[in-house]
Amino acid sequence: MQFTGRRRKLTVHPQNELYGHCLQLYGQPPLENISLSEFETFAVERLKLLKTVENLGVSFVKMSEQYSKKLHAEISGLNFPFRPEVVRESGPSEYEKRRKDHISHFILRLAYCQTEDLRRWFIQQEMDLFRHRFTDLLPKYKTEFLHRNNLKYDTMSLEEKKKLSDQLINSSYGLSGATIVEQDFYKVPFQDALDLVRTRKVFLQGGYAYIPHQDIVTIVLNDFRTRLSKALALTARSLPAVQSDERLQPLLNHLSHAYVGQDYSIQKNIGKVSLEQIDALSAKSFPLCMRQLHKALRDSHHLRHGGRMQYGLFLKGIGLTLEQALQFWRSEFIRGKVDADKFDKAYAYSIRHMFGKEGKRTDYTPYSCMKVILSNPPSQGDYHGCPFRHSDPELLKQKLQSYKLSPSGIIQVGPHTHTHARTAGSLSLSIEDAGFSLNHPNQYFMESQKLLSGGKDIKKEVEMPQKVQENAAANGASVQPQPNTTQAEEEMGDLDSYFLDE
């Protein structure tokens, strides 16, 4: 019996082909298996990157030198792909970075396709990230990207460029007759280049925009946005099948509410604020959400459970000790319809639980803006939540006017959204270019105190507690292992159950 030799067929691995360029449109989902640990790590690191994109977009002019420098540092620090011509001797390989970029994008698609607000946020941050990465590519890599993704645009012939050279020079920045001959120009329907048309950066004729190669990012970005928007809608339809997996559902829900910044835990600020300072601090250094809760507590001597949790954890974060917190809430509640005995039975336990002294002994951290906005929206009779998201626009305008925010500032705030809440925060701190963006009520407090004290930390309270309380505070300030974010999110639900309304 004879066996004929078989010629080996050379094939290109689909994953190698998929990661052939440092940038992609994420048209093909990943097909490999990954561990839950890698799944969570990739997702959290991309979320950190997108949060940085959001923060830098608020703090700096997008695509400015400072913006690009800081974003480049974050991309490199989190080991995402950036410039293919830059080769590092240490750290993950370029293939590993591109794989991480690809998989992490699709993980966050699952987490951020659930609501219109989440989709809108995700699309905006991914677009800003894509624009930065594409713009920073060398021309040959931009051309390679267009070819790999079949983005074929009609190029102008040499005769057309010569015929329209004067118009192209006048409408395009930094071009001369020589560069027009050398550079490609693309002829696209004007509706695909509205950003360039709006800023009068292109020549228009017969319903077409003539775009120089250097500005093609606008067209590519429009294509990217359209694809991503459709993909998120399709992902949302298939989400029930994913949520049936009990391993993934808690993680995806947590990612869409996750805060990845500083936690403002009590250990860092303990004992820095006295009870006598709170009224004055609320007028000078509390964000609008906490000022609203403080006023409601002083007026009615009671807050429902959502307000107690939001405000109680905020006060803990600015430095109230457990003993101060118990004294603060007891003194205010007994001025209303709750006597001291009822307070000790119905409310004191929940405050001790908040400080990690009861139940699972979890040291709970203050709510971030994302947590305030996306969890437990206020109902009738509630004062918690985000005023920029949950208040009537006219009532919000009146509040901002009463807090001496300038008319131009109120107009700048506009519709009550998370981004505009941060804008209003910067304006109320009298900062035009802060170099940071506000994502946490306790961050607002700390930045306000720095400004008021000329960059110094908050002064320690003059009257220190008794020796016994000092020892207790020292013990409470010892370093404890922090629960991971997913665990803390789950345990926060246990805290809810202790805040019971009468």
Side-chain angles (χ1 to χ4, degrees):
M1 183 180 292
Q2 294 181 344
F3 295 90
T4 56
R6 294 185 178 180
R7 182 180 298 174
R8 293 186 63 185
K9 184 178 181 181
L10 297 176
T11 59
V12 178
H13 195 281
Q15 292 296 93
N16 291 335
E17 179 65 21
L18 185 62
Y19 303 145
H21 196 278
C22 66
L23 191 61
Q24 59 173 297
L25 294 174
Y26 308 104
Q28 180 180 335
L31 302 176
E32 62 180 294
N33 295 324
I34 65 171
S35 66
L36 281 175
S37 174
E38 193 173 37
F39 183 97
E40 184 170 9
T41 300
F42 282 5
V44 169
E45 291 190 353
R46 190 175 193 91
L47 184 57
K48 286 182 179 179
L49 179 58
L50 295 186
K51 293 285 187 181
T52 300
V53 171
E54 180 188 29
N55 294 341
L56 292 177
V58 173
S59 304
F60 304 100
V61 177
K62 291 181 181 180
M63 304 310 298
S64 64
E65 182 179 353
Q66 200 170 8
Y67 171 94
S68 299
K69 184 178 179 180
K70 289 181 177 291
L71 185 50
H72 173 53
E74 186 71 13
I75 292 173
S76 300
L78 291 173
N79 292 317
F80 282 93
F82 191 51
R83 290 174 175 167
E85 68 273 14
V86 177
V87 179
R88 297 182 182 273
E89 296 181 359
S90 59
S93 67
E94 186 64 22
Y95 173 85
E96 290 170 332
K97 292 180 181 180
R98 295 177 185 184
R99 172 178 173 269
K100 174 182 176 180
D101 173 56
H102 181 228
I103 294 175
S104 63
H105 170 87
F106 277 90
I107 294 173
L108 288 196
R109 271 194 194 181
L110 291 172
Y112 281 82
C113 71
Q114 301 180 48
T115 67
E116 182 61 32
D117 285 342
L118 292 176
R119 289 193 290 270
R120 188 182 301 113
W121 182 88
F122 182 69
I123 290 173
Q124 184 59 58
Q125 310 323 316
E126 285 285 349
M127 283 177 58
D128 288 344
L129 177 61
F130 183 92
R131 180 193 291 111
H132 170 74
R133 292 170 65 186
F134 185 89
T135 302
D136 211 62
L137 290 175
L138 294 175
K140 66 175 183 178
Y141 291 115
K142 291 180 181 179
T143 303
E144 181 186 342
F145 175 83
L146 296 177
H147 291 163
R148 291 180 68 90
N149 291 278
N150 294 318
L151 298 176
K152 299 176 181 178
Y153 304 112
D154 293 335
T155 56
M156 294 180 67
S157 65
L158 182 59
E159 291 74 18
E160 283 183 296
K161 286 193 287 186
K162 289 181 178 179
K163 182 179 179 181
L164 299 173
S165 61
D166 290 340
Q167 292 90 328
L168 295 176
I169 291 172
N170 292 332
S171 60
S172 301
Y173 176 75
L175 294 181
S176 63
T179 54
I180 282 180
V181 173
E182 297 171 357
Q183 186 171 178
D184 285 336
F185 274 78
Y186 301 94
K187 180 181 177 181
V188 300
F190 80 93
Q191 62 267 28
D192 291 340
L194 292 179
D195 288 342
L196 294 174
V197 173
R198 187 181 300 114
T199 53
R200 300 185 179 183
K201 289 185 176 180
V202 290
F203 172 60
L204 291 176
Q205 183 177 11
Y208 288 92
Y210 294 83
I211 302 172
H213 184 80
Q214 65 193 36
D215 292 330
I216 196 62
V217 62
T218 301
I219 309 303
V220 178
L221 199 62
N222 184 64
D223 190 280
F224 177 70
R225 175 174 50 208
T226 302
R227 294 183 187 216
L228 183 55
S229 181
K230 291 180 179 178
L232 285 172
L234 291 174
T235 305
R237 294 180 191 174
S238 59
L239 196 60
V242 178
Q243 290 177 331
S244 63
D245 190 329
E246 60 184 14
R247 301 169 302 169
L248 297 181
Q249 183 180 8
L251 179 58
L252 293 176
N253 289 339
H254 165 70
L255 283 171
S256 62
H257 294 70
Y259 169 71
V260 291
Q262 184 178 340
D263 62 9
Y264 299 94
S265 60
I266 184 69
Q267 285 83 2
K268 299 168 187 173
N269 303 312
I270 190 167
K272 288 190 175 182
V273 174
S274 68
L275 297 181
E276 292 74 21
Q277 291 176 300
I278 291 180
D279 283 330
L281 287 172
S282 70
K284 294 188 298 182
S285 295
F286 281 18
L288 185 56
C289 55
M290 299 305 167
R291 192 186 293 197
Q292 176 176 278
L293 284 166
H294 182 76
K295 184 177 185 303
L297 178 62
R298 290 302 198 204
D299 290 345
S300 62
H301 313 299
H302 187 271
L303 285 177
R304 297 173 70 178
H305 79 279
R308 295 199 298 273
M309 288 181 67
Q310 184 175 323
Y311 191 42
L313 289 171
F314 170 80
L315 292 175
K316 175 189 174 188
I318 69 172
L320 285 196
T321 64
L322 172 58
E323 291 77 14
Q324 288 176 312
L326 286 168
Q327 181 182 345
F328 173 78
W329 289 102
R330 180 186 287 110
S331 64
E332 198 59 51
F333 272 46
I334 62 176
R335 294 175 63 189
K337 299 179 181 179
V338 177
D339 58 37
D341 184 58
K342 183 176 181 181
F343 177 88
D344 291 337
K345 291 180 179 179
Y347 299 101
Y349 180 89
S350 62
I351 296 172
R352 293 195 298 272
H353 190 279
M354 187 193 302
F355 278 77
K357 303 302 180 184
E358 302 286 357
K360 294 182 179 180
R361 310 280 174 172
T362 301
D363 184 21
Y364 295 101
T365 55
Y367 286 4
S368 67
C369 290
M370 183 72 76
K371 172 78 174 177
V372 170
I373 288 172
L374 296 178
S375 64
N376 188 23
S379 57
Q380 186 70 27
D382 286 328
Y383 294 93
H384 65 275
C386 175
F388 299 92
R389 184 60 178 269
H390 300 125
S391 294
D392 177 80
E394 281 303 315
L395 292 178
L396 175 62
K397 183 178 179 181
Q398 292 173 16
K399 284 182 182 179
L400 295 176
Q401 289 173 338
S402 69
Y403 295 146
K404 311 302 182 185
L405 193 65
S406 66
S408 61
I410 295 174
I411 294 173
Q412 186 177 344
V413 172
H416 40 299
T417 64
H418 184 200
T419 302
H420 292 123
R422 292 200 305 271
T423 303
S426 297
L427 290 168
S428 59
L429 289 176
S430 300
I431 307 173
E432 291 185 1
D433 185 9
F436 61 84
S437 63
L438 297 168
N439 294 283
H440 200 294
N442 291 79
Q443 180 195 7
Y444 180 105
F445 176 82
M446 296 299 292
E447 296 296 344
S448 170
Q449 286 292 296
K450 286 179 183 178
L451 286 169
L452 293 172
S453 60
K456 300 177 182 178
D457 288 335
I458 309 171
K459 294 181 179 179
K460 293 271 187 178
E461 58 180 313
V462 178
E463 298 181 8
M464 295 299 292
Q466 295 179 354
K467 200 70 179 176
V468 175
Q469 293 181 354
E470 287 181 345
N471 294 335
N475 293 333
S478 60
V479 178
Q480 300 176 0
Q482 292 292 321
N484 63 49
T485 52
T486 306
Q487 178 184 356
E489 188 78 17
E490 293 171 351
E491 289 176 340
M492 188 63 79
D494 297 331
L495 183 57
D496 287 347
S497 62
Y498 294 111
F499 283 91
L500 301 176
D501 286 313
E502 296 300 315

